[in-house]
Coordinates of all heavy atoms in Angstrom, one line a residue:
A26 N 37.7 -54.5 38.4 CA 38.8 -55.3 37.9 C 38.9 -55.2 36.4 O 40.0 -55.2 35.9 CB 38.5 -56.8 38.4
Y27 N 37.8 -55.2 35.7 CA 37.8 -55.0 34.3 C 38.5 -53.7 33.9 O 39.3 -53.7 33.0 CB 36.4 -55.1 33.7 CG 36.3 -54.5 32.3 CD1 36.7 -55.2 31.2 CD2 35.8 -53.2 32.1 CE1 36.7 -54.7 29.9 CE2 35.7 -52.7 30.8 CZ 36.2 -53.4 29.8 OH 36.1 -52.8 28.5
A28 N 38.1 -52.6 34.5 CA 38.7 -51.3 34.2 C 40.2 -51.3 34.4 O 41.0 -50.8 33.5 CB 38.0 -50.2 35.0
R29 N 40.7 -51.9 35.5 CA 42.1 -51.9 35.8 C 42.8 -52.8 34.7 O 43.9 -52.4 34.2 CB 42.3 -52.5 37.2 CG 43.7 -52.2 37.7 CD 43.9 -52.9 39.1 NE 42.9 -52.4 40.1 CZ 43.1 -51.3 40.8 NH1 44.3 -50.6 40.7 NH2 42.2 -50.9 41.7
A30 N 42.3 -53.9 34.4 CA 42.9 -54.8 33.4 C 42.9 -54.2 32.0 O 43.9 -54.3 31.3 CB 42.2 -56.2 33.4
A31 N 41.8 -53.5 31.7 CA 41.7 -52.8 30.4 C 42.8 -51.7 30.3 O 43.4 -51.6 29.2 CB 40.3 -52.2 30.2
L32 N 43.0 -50.9 31.3 CA 44.0 -49.9 31.3 C 45.4 -50.6 31.1 O 46.2 -50.1 30.3 CB 44.0 -49.2 32.7 CG 43.0 -48.1 32.9 CD1 43.0 -47.6 34.3 CD2 43.2 -46.9 32.0
E33 N 45.7 -51.6 31.8 CA 47.0 -52.3 31.6 C 47.1 -52.8 30.2 O 48.2 -52.7 29.6 CB 47.1 -53.4 32.6 CG 47.2 -52.9 34.1 CD 47.1 -54.1 35.1 OE1 46.7 -55.2 34.7 OE2 47.3 -53.8 36.3
G34 N 46.0 -53.3 29.6 CA 46.0 -53.8 28.3 C 46.3 -52.7 27.3 O 46.9 -53.0 26.2
F35 N 45.9 -51.5 27.6 CA 46.1 -50.4 26.7 C 47.5 -49.7 26.9 O 47.9 -48.8 26.2 CB 45.1 -49.3 26.9 CG 43.7 -49.6 26.3 CD1 42.6 -49.6 27.1 CD2 43.6 -50.0 24.9 CE1 41.3 -50.0 26.6 CE2 42.3 -50.3 24.4 CZ 41.2 -50.3 25.2
G36 N 48.2 -50.2 27.9 CA 49.6 -49.7 28.2 C 49.6 -48.5 29.1 O 50.5 -47.8 29.2
V37 N 48.5 -48.3 29.9 CA 48.4 -47.2 30.8 C 48.8 -47.6 32.2 O 48.3 -48.7 32.7 CB 46.9 -46.6 30.8 CG1 46.8 -45.5 31.9 CG2 46.5 -46.1 29.5
D38 N 49.7 -46.9 32.8 CA 50.2 -47.2 34.2 C 49.0 -47.1 35.2 O 48.3 -46.1 35.2 CB 51.3 -46.2 34.5 CG 52.1 -46.6 35.7 OD1 51.5 -47.1 36.7 OD2 53.3 -46.3 35.7
T39 N 48.8 -48.1 36.0 CA 47.7 -48.1 36.9 C 48.2 -47.9 38.4 O 47.4 -48.2 39.3 CB 47.0 -49.5 36.8 OG1 47.9 -50.6 37.2 CG2 46.4 -49.7 35.4
R40 N 49.4 -47.4 38.6 CA 49.9 -47.3 40.0 C 49.0 -46.4 40.8 O 49.0 -46.5 42.0 CB 51.3 -47.0 40.0 CG 51.6 -45.5 39.8 CD 53.1 -45.2 39.7 NE 53.6 -45.3 38.4 CZ 54.7 -44.8 38.0 NH1 55.5 -44.1 38.8 NH2 55.1 -44.9 36.7
W41 N 48.4 -45.4 40.2 CA 47.5 -44.5 40.9 C 46.0 -44.7 40.8 O 45.2 -43.8 41.0 CB 47.9 -43.0 40.5 CG 49.3 -42.6 40.8 CD1 49.8 -42.4 42.1 CD2 50.4 -42.4 39.9 NE1 51.1 -42.1 42.0 CE2 51.5 -42.1 40.7 CE3 50.5 -42.4 38.5 CZ2 52.7 -41.8 40.1 CZ3 51.7 -42.2 38.0 CH2 52.8 -41.8 38.8
V42 N 45.7 -45.9 40.4 CA 44.3 -46.3 40.4 C 43.9 -47.0 41.7 O 44.3 -48.1 42.0 CB 44.0 -47.3 39.2 CG1 42.5 -47.7 39.2 CG2 44.3 -46.7 37.9
G43 N 43.2 -46.3 42.6 CA 42.8 -46.8 43.9 C 41.5 -47.6 43.8 O 40.9 -47.7 42.8
T44 N 41.2 -48.1 45.0 CA 39.9 -48.9 45.1 C 39.1 -48.3 46.2 O 39.6 -48.3 47.4 CB 40.2 -50.4 45.3 OG1 41.0 -50.8 44.2 CG2 38.9 -51.2 45.4
D45 N 37.9 -48.0 46.0 CA 36.9 -47.6 47.0 C 36.2 -48.9 47.5 O 35.6 -49.6 46.7 CB 35.9 -46.6 46.5 CG 35.1 -46.0 47.6 OD1 34.2 -46.7 48.1 OD2 35.3 -44.8 48.0
P46 N 36.2 -49.1 48.8 CA 35.7 -50.4 49.3 C 34.1 -50.4 49.3 O 33.5 -51.5 49.5 CB 36.2 -50.5 50.7 CG 36.5 -49.1 51.2 CD 36.9 -48.4 49.9
D47 N 33.5 -49.3 49.2 CA 32.1 -49.2 49.4 C 31.3 -48.8 48.2 O 30.1 -49.2 48.1 CB 31.7 -48.1 50.5 CG 32.5 -48.4 51.8 OD1 32.4 -49.6 52.3 OD2 33.1 -47.5 52.4
L48 N 31.8 -48.1 47.2 CA 31.1 -47.6 46.1 C 31.4 -48.5 44.9 O 32.5 -49.0 44.7 CB 31.5 -46.2 45.8 CG 31.1 -45.2 46.8 CD1 31.8 -43.8 46.5 CD2 29.6 -45.0 47.0
N49 N 30.4 -48.6 44.0 CA 30.5 -49.4 42.8 C 31.2 -48.6 41.7 O 31.1 -47.4 41.6 CB 29.1 -49.9 42.3 CG 28.5 -50.9 43.2 OD1 29.1 -51.7 43.9 ND2 27.1 -50.9 43.2
T50 N 31.9 -49.3 40.8 CA 32.5 -48.7 39.6 C 31.3 -48.2 38.8 O 30.3 -49.0 38.5 CB 33.3 -49.8 38.8 OG1 34.3 -50.3 39.7 CG2 33.9 -49.2 37.6
P51 N 31.3 -47.0 38.3 CA 30.2 -46.5 37.5 C 30.1 -47.2 36.2 O 31.0 -47.6 35.6 CB 30.6 -45.0 37.3 CG 31.7 -44.7 38.3 CD 32.4 -46.0 38.6
V52 N 28.8 -47.2 35.7 CA 28.5 -47.7 34.4 C 27.8 -46.5 33.7 O 27.0 -45.8 34.3 CB 27.7 -49.0 34.3 CG1 28.5 -50.1 34.9 CG2 26.4 -48.8 35.1
V53 N 27.9 -46.5 32.4 CA 27.3 -45.5 31.5 C 26.7 -46.1 30.3 O 27.4 -46.8 29.6 CB 28.3 -44.4 31.1 CG1 27.6 -43.3 30.3 CG2 29.1 -43.8 32.2
F54 N 25.4 -45.9 30.2 CA 24.7 -46.5 29.0 C 24.6 -45.4 27.9 O 24.3 -44.2 28.2 CB 23.3 -46.9 29.3 CG 23.2 -48.2 30.2 CD1 23.3 -48.1 31.6 CD2 23.1 -49.4 29.6 CE1 23.2 -49.2 32.3 CE2 23.1 -50.6 30.3 CZ 23.1 -50.5 31.7
C55 N 24.9 -45.8 26.7 CA 24.9 -44.8 25.6 C 23.8 -45.2 24.6 O 23.6 -46.3 24.2 CB 26.3 -44.9 24.9 SG 26.4 -44.0 23.3
E56 N 23.0 -44.1 24.2 CA 22.0 -44.3 23.2 C 22.6 -43.7 21.9 O 23.1 -42.5 21.9 CB 20.7 -43.6 23.6 CG 19.5 -43.9 22.8 CD 18.2 -43.5 23.4 OE1 18.3 -43.0 24.5 OE2 17.2 -43.7 22.7
L57 N 22.5 -44.4 20.8 CA 23.2 -44.0 19.6 C 22.5 -43.0 18.7 O 22.9 -42.8 17.6 CB 23.6 -45.2 18.8 CG 24.6 -46.2 19.5 CD1 24.9 -47.4 18.7 CD2 25.8 -45.5 20.0
D58 N 21.4 -42.5 19.2 CA 20.6 -41.6 18.3 C 20.3 -40.3 19.1 O 19.6 -40.4 20.2 CB 19.3 -42.3 17.9 CG 18.4 -41.5 16.9 OD1 19.0 -40.6 16.3 OD2 17.2 -41.8 16.8
P59 N 20.8 -39.1 18.7 CA 21.5 -38.9 17.4 C 23.0 -39.3 17.6 O 23.6 -39.1 18.7 CB 21.4 -37.4 17.2 CG 21.2 -36.8 18.5 CD 20.5 -37.9 19.3
P60 N 23.7 -39.8 16.6 CA 25.1 -40.2 16.8 C 26.0 -39.0 17.0 O 27.1 -39.2 17.7 CB 25.4 -40.9 15.4 CG 24.4 -40.3 14.5 CD 23.1 -40.1 15.3
E61 N 25.7 -37.8 16.6 CA 26.5 -36.6 16.8 C 26.5 -36.2 18.2 O 27.5 -35.6 18.7 CB 26.1 -35.5 15.9 CG 26.2 -35.7 14.4 CD 25.0 -36.5 13.9 OE1 24.0 -36.7 14.7 OE2 24.9 -36.8 12.7
D62 N 25.5 -36.5 19.0 CA 25.4 -36.1 20.4 C 24.6 -37.2 21.1 O 23.5 -37.0 21.6 CB 24.7 -34.8 20.5 CG 24.7 -34.2 21.9 OD1 25.6 -34.7 22.7 OD2 23.9 -33.3 22.3
P63 N 25.2 -38.4 21.3 CA 24.5 -39.5 21.9 C 24.1 -39.3 23.3 O 25.0 -38.9 24.1 CB 25.5 -40.7 21.7 CG 26.8 -40.0 21.6 CD 26.6 -38.7 20.9
P64 N 22.8 -39.5 23.7 CA 22.4 -39.3 25.1 C 23.1 -40.3 26.0 O 23.3 -41.5 25.6 CB 20.9 -39.6 25.0 CG 20.5 -39.3 23.6 CD 21.7 -39.8 22.8
L65 N 23.5 -39.9 27.2 CA 24.2 -40.8 28.1 C 23.4 -40.9 29.4 O 22.8 -40.0 29.9 CB 25.6 -40.2 28.5 CG 26.6 -40.0 27.3 CD1 27.8 -39.4 27.8 CD2 26.9 -41.3 26.6
L66 N 23.3 -42.1 29.9 CA 22.7 -42.4 31.2 C 23.7 -42.9 32.2 O 24.2 -44.0 32.1 CB 21.6 -43.5 31.0 CG 20.7 -43.9 32.2 CD1 20.0 -42.7 32.7 CD2 19.8 -45.0 31.8
F67 N 24.1 -42.0 33.1 CA 25.1 -42.3 34.1 C 24.6 -43.0 35.3 O 23.6 -42.5 35.9 CB 25.8 -41.0 34.5 CG 26.7 -40.3 33.5 CD1 26.2 -39.4 32.6 CD2 28.0 -40.7 33.4 CE1 27.0 -38.8 31.7 CE2 28.9 -40.1 32.5 CZ 28.3 -39.1 31.6
Y68 N 25.3 -44.0 35.8 CA 25.0 -44.6 37.1 C 26.2 -44.4 38.0 O 27.1 -45.1 37.9 CB 24.7 -46.1 36.9 CG 23.3 -46.4 36.3 CD1 23.1 -46.3 35.0 CD2 22.3 -46.8 37.2 CE1 21.8 -46.5 34.4 CE2 21.0 -47.1 36.7 CZ 20.8 -46.9 35.3 OH 19.5 -47.2 34.8
R69 N 26.1 -43.3 38.8 CA 27.2 -42.9 39.6 C 26.6 -42.5 41.0 O 27.2 -41.7 41.7 CB 27.9 -41.7 39.0 CG 28.7 -42.0 37.8 CD 29.2 -40.7 37.1 NE 30.1 -39.9 37.9 CZ 31.4 -40.1 38.0 NH1 32.0 -41.1 37.3 NH2 32.1 -39.3 38.8
Q70 N 25.5 -43.1 41.4 CA 24.9 -42.8 42.7 C 25.2 -43.8 43.8 O 25.4 -45.0 43.4 CB 23.4 -42.6 42.5 CG 22.9 -41.5 41.7 CD 23.0 -41.7 40.2 OE1 23.1 -42.9 39.8 NE2 23.0 -40.7 39.4
P71 N 25.3 -43.4 45.0 CA 25.2 -42.0 45.6 C 26.4 -41.1 45.3 O 26.4 -39.9 45.4 CB 25.0 -42.2 47.1 CG 25.8 -43.5 47.3 CD 25.6 -44.4 46.1
S72 N 27.5 -41.8 44.9 CA 28.7 -41.1 44.4 C 29.5 -42.1 43.6 O 29.2 -43.3 43.6 CB 29.5 -40.6 45.6 OG 30.7 -39.9 45.2
A73 N 30.6 -41.6 43.0 CA 31.4 -42.5 42.2 C 32.8 -42.6 42.9 O 33.2 -41.7 43.6 CB 31.6 -42.0 40.8

């Protein structure tokens, strides 16, 4: 719900944003060191 509302707030058309009834919206944690290539920790299991 947050992602859809954020898109609308940025003026992006959401007509093709679907909803999967079983899988969670992915989250990504960012580590800021080093800032030029920050490590990312993706939570997209078992699928996104």
Side-chain angles (χ1 to χ4, degrees):
Y27 161 75
R29 196 184 299 272
L32 281 169
E33 292 171 351
F35 288 124
V37 177
D38 194 323
T39 61
R40 79 183 88 160
W41 294 291
V42 179
T44 302
D45 188 288
D47 303 314
L48 296 170
N49 291 330
T50 304
V52 296
V53 184
F54 289 88
C55 172
E56 191 168 357
L57 298 180
D58 187 19
E61 296 83 3
D62 187 18
L65 300 177
L66 182 59
F67 287 91
Y68 283 79
R69 292 171 60 88
Q70 292 80 20
S72 181

